[in-house]
Amino acid sequence: MEKIVVEVGSTCTKVDKYDGEKIVHLKTLPIEFKKNFKMENKLNSDDINKLIELVNSFKEYKDIFVCGTSVFRQLNDIEKDEFLCFFKEKTGLEFNVISQEQENIYTVKGATKVVKEALVFVGGGGSTEISYYNSGIKEMKNNKIGVMDILNIFPDLAEDTAKTSLKEIMDYIEERIEVPN
């Protein structure tokens, strides 16, 4: 049986299909939820509508799992309930706001399917998860800093020629990120 997984990140939404054996990437759509959330202090309605349109374009599949990460964890209870109800009304599907720990576990499971030992790094727009895997997750660190946070601090990194030194960026990140031992 085919399952569609829609991962809604802070800056990018990815759609994959799993047939029980392999994962096939179907689509990536940039939707800048975090950037617009920071500007408006709420989810942007255009972003929500883009997401709904994307999800509805895969409705020929019967089994669809939709999950949201970092930016959706920041919503207060009222905003979250309103969004979840609106999403369900427009798609007929549940929207699952997953914890950093769940995000980390799902990624490690996918990344380590054929290896015994690995360090798994998930650098998202609004969070970073790092796990040490050795025939199972031995240690994980969930950080509330992501690519968009770095770009907000060092906006010149998005320019053709960045003026910020690599050392300055590395020092900033090292002070704020935890890694497994």
Side-chain angles (χ1 to χ4, degrees):
M1 173 162 82
E2 294 179 321
K3 181 176 195 81
I4 298 297
V5 177
V6 181
E7 180 199 348
V8 186
S10 295
T11 58
C12 201
T13 298
K14 296 170 267 202
V15 182
D16 296 295
K17 178 174 68 171
Y18 179 65
D19 67 4
E21 290 184 29
K22 63 182 177 194
I23 298 170
V24 176
H25 180 68
L26 300 178
K27 186 165 185 136
T28 298
L29 180 66
I31 305 176
E32 296 188 87
F33 278 105
K34 183 164 186 159
K35 176 182 171 188
N36 295 327
F37 181 84
K38 282 191 173 232
M39 290 190 315
E40 300 175 23
N41 203 28
K42 64 178 186 173
L43 292 177
N44 176 282
S45 60
D46 289 340
D47 292 344
I48 293 169
N49 290 329
K50 283 181 199 172
L51 173 62
I52 288 168
E53 184 178 326
L54 175 68
V55 169
N56 283 335
S57 74
F58 288 92
K59 290 298 278 272
E60 77 250 24
Y61 295 96
K62 302 297 179 225
D63 192 0
I64 301 174
F65 177 77
V66 183
C67 63
T69 60
S70 172
V71 71
F72 298 96
R73 295 189 285 259
Q74 295 177 24
L75 299 175
N76 68 42
D77 290 339
I78 294 169
E79 292 169 321
K80 190 182 296 182
D81 286 344
E82 286 175 358
F83 169 72
L84 295 175
C85 289
F86 184 73
F87 184 85
K88 178 144 187 164
E89 175 188 317
K90 297 296 181 185
T91 66
L93 300 169
E94 298 292 331
F95 186 97
N96 301 276
V97 179
I98 61 172
S99 69
Q100 264 193 294
E101 185 174 330
Q102 288 172 300
E103 182 178 2
N104 203 339
I105 290 168
Y106 291 156
T107 303
V108 170
K109 283 183 179 181
T112 59
K113 193 168 176 102
V114 295
V115 298
K116 181 183 182 262
E117 184 177 30
L119 186 65
V120 180
F121 175 89
V122 182
S127 65
T128 301
E129 294 79 33
I130 306 171
S131 296
Y132 171 62
Y133 176 89
N134 189 339
S135 300
I137 296 174
K138 301 301 180 192
E139 185 178 359
M140 67 172 73
K141 297 291 183 179
N142 300 316
N143 299 277
K144 294 182 190 244
I145 184 172
V147 174
M148 293 305 295
D149 301 304
I150 301 300
L151 287 174
N152 285 334
I153 298 300
F154 305 106
D156 64 298
L157 295 178
E159 302 297 325
D160 288 339
T161 304
K163 292 176 181 39
T164 305
S165 73
L166 180 59
K167 180 176 179 0
E168 187 177 356
I169 298 163
M170 294 295 293
D171 289 347
Y172 181 85
I173 293 170
E174 285 178 5
E175 289 173 8
R176 288 160 179 80
I177 200 162
E178 290 185 70
V179 297
N181 292 323

